[in-house]
Amino acid sequence: MRYPLLTFFLCLLLIPPVAQAQVLTAIEHKQGPYGLDADKGSAGLWFQLKKLNTTASAMHTTAHPDDEHAGLLTGLSRGQGVRTALLTINRGEAGANATGSELFDALGLVRTEELLVSGQYYGLDDQYFTTLTDYGYSKTLDEALKSWGREAVLEDMVRIIRVNRPLVVISRFHGSNRDGHGHHQAAGGITPEAFEAAGDPNRFPEQITNEGLRPWSPFKVFQGGVREQEPHHVAFDQSMYDPVLGDTYYNYGYYGLSLQRSQTSGRTRRSLQRSILYYNQLNTERSGVDNGFFEGMDTSISGMYSLFGEHASDEIASGLASLQASIEEAIAQFDIQHPTSSVPALTNALKGARALIEMDLHEEVAFLVEIKIEQIQEAINTALGIQLSALAIPEDAPVVASFWAPLPTLEGVVNGQSFNVEVEVGKGAEVPVYLTSLQFVGQSALKVSTDELDKTIDLNKAKEVVDALSFRIPVHVNATARPDRPYFYRPSIIQNQYSTAGDAPVFLPHSPPSLKAHATYEVNGVEVNVERTVRMRRSNLPYGYKS
């Protein structure tokens, strides 16, 4: 079959930074050449379809990187389709380093990146940090709260809960001496306080008036570190086997945790034994074991209004029911050998969600629908095998034609320097796709050439990504460009809380990237977006290249 000619307007311009996404911050980690195999192709689509079919969301709170219950996060995200977030109070600056010479703040950067890698295995949708630092082993809760300041910890945790708006909050720790480290006790003890304070508009009101956040009261808060013989409301089996992963959630998650090698030295331990985690719900007087964390909640798409005790108009109720039906159809049409079978239903779902967002929705329902719009686009990108890569290379780098020739690498750029961005756009599926625009988003001090405009290329000739559209775009770094650096800093390691600067919200793992490529394409008459960070390629031969 011959597909129609792909025509598009290539809009290569630098637009001002947009408000940074504060939810679904980890989507890009799951996509493109840097994602895990489990998040690509039919396997990746299956996990994404699970997430589309529910509004369930959970936030797991810990003190340091590597504290997290890896099997819990993996089971919730990959097993149940829950939108999962990890809130880590500090970046582990005062830990040991089994892999290098970095200590203190430099080690905090290493451990941040390691946790991001682990999060890919867990299937995390969001990762957040507070501004507090790890100042070393804390023997008691009182010492930790005196060093950090109780209100400082509480304020940051409340902010993150208000941003992410999870239905349930699950503490890793118990909040007692059994947690050992004073930081662990603080994480366990302040989690229920943050749960209560986040919904009170009189607590940290400047977050509402100055930052535009809204109060948020999660439905449930759970205490971790509970023993089997103690009262508990959820018994979570992290040893369940997932046939798509080909492993248990425990084994898959804890392999991801082992990649925090500065602390684990890469050690991991596989197990086929049953492994249960116990959690006690704190904001209830009920006893007995529930059927999971979301017992009693309507987490269906059509149940968004009833979830918040509200009544939808007939038009909105119909729109939500139609959206749920389209998602259910996409799941029913799923074919491991032909993932594009789900695309017609997914594009219908995207049209329906966009129509809903134009209605007068309850503000919390609007929040959930916006999340669905992003998740649906992620699923369409995966089903079509959409590839967008953008690599910064030297200005004079030759075009590499031979498999055996070394690829151009770039270690960094400075003010006044010019370089090229090598952009590739392609798809794996034989479905008509029409690329309508491509933009670069980033620092205004980076000047992107607009000479390569109004291209006409038949992308549908490409049966493989290697045959896709490829071109080079010149970029010049102005003298006023800001250097890339973390948005958090402190003048001395004596200071137990970071100061912040720059455009990033003060809870993200790192600063916004200097440059991103943003593409829009059309399929089945619906426009879909895909975005990738412009990266630099570094040689790691004989083990390939790193980007």
Side-chain angles (χ1 to χ4, degrees):
M1 178 176 180
R2 183 175 178 80
Y3 295 116
L5 188 68
L6 168 67
T7 60
F8 67 96
F9 175 69
L10 186 59
C11 198
L12 290 168
L13 59 139
L14 204 64
I15 62 178
V18 295
Q20 296 299 308
Q22 300 177 356
V23 179
L24 301 181
T25 58
I27 276 185
E28 188 177 346
H29 295 294
K30 303 178 184 181
Q31 298 183 341
Y34 317 109
L36 301 179
D37 289 343
D39 291 316
K40 302 175 188 176
S42 294
L45 177 60
W46 179 246
F47 290 128
Q48 290 158 12
L49 290 173
K50 282 186 177 183
K51 287 184 179 289
L52 282 182
N53 204 35
T54 180
T55 60
S57 56
M59 176 175 288
H60 189 43
T61 62
T62 71
H64 316 91
D66 78 23
D67 287 343
E68 64 273 8
H69 276 156
L72 167 75
L73 292 170
T74 309
L76 286 176
S77 179
R78 296 191 180 278
Q80 300 179 20
V82 175
R83 176 170 66 90
T84 54
L86 176 60
L87 189 168
T88 310
I89 289 182
N90 64 60
R91 298 171 187 262
E93 294 87 347
N97 187 350
T99 60
S101 59
E102 298 87 356
L103 295 174
F104 302 112
D105 295 7
L107 177 58
L109 297 178
V110 170
R111 295 189 70 180
T112 296
E113 293 300 315
E114 289 179 331
L115 186 57
L116 288 171
V117 172
S118 296
Q120 290 184 271
Y121 285 82
Y122 309 155
L124 284 182
D125 298 285
D126 292 290
Q127 289 188 257
Y128 303 110
F129 294 86
T130 76
T131 56
L132 285 307
T133 68
D134 181 358
Y135 56 81
Y137 187 85
S138 180
K139 296 183 178 63
T140 66
L141 172 63
D142 289 343
E143 179 195 46
L145 294 181
K146 180 179 179 181
S147 298
W148 280 340
R150 176 184 288 272
E151 287 295 291
V153 184
L154 186 60
E155 178 182 3
D156 278 5
M157 294 184 74
V158 165
R159 176 183 286 109
I160 293 168
I161 291 172
R162 286 173 173 174
V163 164
N164 189 264
R165 314 183 83 71
L167 297 186
V168 302
V169 175
I170 307 169
S171 174
R172 161 64 178 85
F173 293 109
H174 193 266
S176 67
N177 289 337
R178 72 174 58 172
D179 297 330
H181 200 309
H183 293 178
H184 297 170
Q185 294 181 49
I190 294 187
T191 292
E193 292 185 40
F195 165 86
E196 293 289 345
D200 184 351
N202 296 314
R203 300 301 307 272
F204 311 109
E206 65 283 353
Q207 294 180 0
I208 300 168
T209 57
N210 298 340
E211 301 175 33
L213 300 181
R214 301 193 308 274
W216 174 247
S217 295
F219 289 72
K220 299 179 182 180
V221 59
F222 292 90
Q223 176 187 49
V226 178
R227 295 160 183 160
E228 181 179 7
Q229 66 274 18
E230 296 176 332
H232 58 269
H233 292 88
V234 173
F236 187 87
D237 186 356
Q238 62 178 339
S239 55
M240 290 183 63
Y241 179 82
D242 189 305
V244 178
L245 289 177
D247 213 335
T248 66
Y249 299 122
Y250 175 92
N251 285 336
Y252 197 80
Y254 277 87
Y255 174 76
L257 188 143
S258 76
L259 299 179
Q260 298 181 52
R261 293 183 173 121
S262 68
Q263 307 303 301
T264 68
S265 298
R267 290 187 296 268
T268 187
R269 183 178 61 185
R270 295 181 54 80
S271 174
L272 297 180
Q273 302 299 314
R274 195 173 186 213
S275 178
I276 310 294
L277 298 170
Y278 300 93
Y279 301 91
N280 183 47
Q281 185 181 342
L282 295 176
N283 63 320
T284 185
E285 295 181 356
R286 293 183 303 103
S287 59
V289 180
D290 293 338
N291 184 27
F293 294 102
F294 303 96
E295 178 87 3
M297 302 183 204
D298 187 348
T299 58
S300 67
I301 306 301
S302 59
M304 287 186 188
Y305 269 79
S306 62
L307 179 64
F308 302 109
E310 301 287 341
H311 179 73
S313 68
D314 291 343
E315 181 185 24
I316 292 174
S318 175
L320 289 171
S322 178
L323 175 59
Q324 179 167 307
S326 294
I327 291 171
E328 290 174 349
E329 182 182 357
I331 295 171
Q333 294 297 322
F334 174 77
D335 184 339
I336 193 169
Q337 295 188 69
H338 303 285
T340 53
S341 299
S342 295
V343 171
L346 288 172
T347 53
N348 285 337
L350 186 55
K351 283 192 294 187
R354 285 174 172 164
L356 273 167
I357 210 66
E358 297 300 321
M359 300 180 189
D360 185 21
L361 299 177
H362 183 279
E363 58 186 0
E364 298 304 338
V365 172
F367 175 79
L368 295 179
V369 172
E370 289 281 10
I371 287 173
K372 291 302 159 193
I373 289 173
E374 293 303 313
Q375 290 177 330
I376 294 168
Q377 291 183 104
E378 180 187 15
I380 294 173
N381 290 333
T382 302
L384 292 172
I386 295 295
Q387 297 290 324
L388 170 63
S389 67
L391 286 172
I393 60 175
E395 184 180 23
D396 57 353
V399 175
V400 177
S402 169
F403 171 84
W404 303 103
L407 297 175
T409 59
L410 190 65
E411 293 297 326
V413 295
V414 297
N415 291 13
Q417 184 175 346
S418 296
F419 62 95
N420 288 330
V421 176
E422 191 171 61
V423 180
E424 289 189 313
V425 188
K427 62 181 180 61
E430 295 185 18
V431 173
V433 170
Y434 305 89
L435 190 64
T436 57
S437 73
L438 178 66
Q439 297 177 328
F440 283 114
V441 183
Q443 286 193 33
S444 59
L446 297 178
K447 183 180 180 182
V448 179
S449 170
T450 58
D451 294 339
E452 302 266 344
L453 290 177
D454 298 319
K455 300 251 184 207
T456 303
I457 298 177
D458 187 358
L459 183 62
N460 289 299
K461 291 179 188 175
K463 299 300 186 290
E464 298 176 356
V465 173
V466 294
D467 295 325
L469 170 64
S470 178
F471 49 90
R472 294 185 176 190
I473 304 302
V475 180
H476 180 74
V477 185
N478 291 348
T480 57
R482 302 189 306 269
D484 283 334
R485 60 182 55 171
Y487 69 87
F488 48 93
Y489 64 93
R490 54 179 174 168
S492 168
I493 60 172
I494 297 176
Q495 185 172 312
N496 292 333
Q497 184 173 18
Y498 286 119
S499 300
T500 59
D503 300 325
V506 296
F507 40 75
L508 294 184
H510 43 61
S511 301
S514 296
L515 199 60
K516 300 189 81 169
H518 181 97
T520 301
Y521 65 90
E522 184 179 297
V523 59
N524 294 341
V526 179
E527 286 199 335
V528 184
N529 298 311
V530 58
E531 192 173 69
R532 296 286 182 268
T533 297
V534 176
R535 298 173 179 264
M536 293 181 293
R537 181 193 289 124
R538 293 182 172 90
S539 176
N540 190 38
L541 298 175
Y543 303 104
Y545 295 87
K546 291 184 176 180
S547 301

